[in-house]
């Protein structure tokens, strides 16, 4: 069952994190679409993907490990 108190608490945490990082924004726009991150190899094929999960940050260690892995797989150590 939907708990509005949890939703309000999550929204407050999200807003506080934005204030701490001095990120400005608004609640306008397409609320259904989400973003994410895709790393492509030199051949143009996707090698790593992280879908956006609203209110959570990317795992930086995982991201850097993926970049290193893709870099090593590229020709001459490049993407």
């Amino acid at each position: 069952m939907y708990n509005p108190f949890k939703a309000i608490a999550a929204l407050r945490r999200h807003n506080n994190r934005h204030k701490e990082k001095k990120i400005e924004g608004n609640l306008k726009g397409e609320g259904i679409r989400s973003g994410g991150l895709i790393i492509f190899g030199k051949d143009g094929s996707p090698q790593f993907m992280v879908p956006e999960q609203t209110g959570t940050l990317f795992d930086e260690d995982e991201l850097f490990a993926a970049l290193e892995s893709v870099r090593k797989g590229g020709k001459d150590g490049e993407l």
Side-chain angles (χ1 to χ4, degrees), residues 23-38:
I23 297 172
E24 295 182 15
N26 59 43
L27 298 176
K28 296 178 182 176
E30 179 61 56
I32 297 172
R33 294 185 185 182
S34 60
L37 174 75
I38 301 174

Side-chain angles (χ1 to χ4, degrees), residues 10 14 39 42-43 48 54 62 64 73:
H14 181 77
I39 299 173
K42 249 187 118 103
D43 63 356
F48 180 78
T54 303
E62 183 181 358
F64 290 131

Side-chain angles (χ1 to χ4, degrees), residues 6-19:
K6 285 187 178 182
I8 291 169
L11 185 58
R12 283 190 180 140
R13 284 192 305 272
H14 181 77
N15 286 338
N16 288 338
R17 192 175 79 237
H18 279 210
K19 284 180 186 177

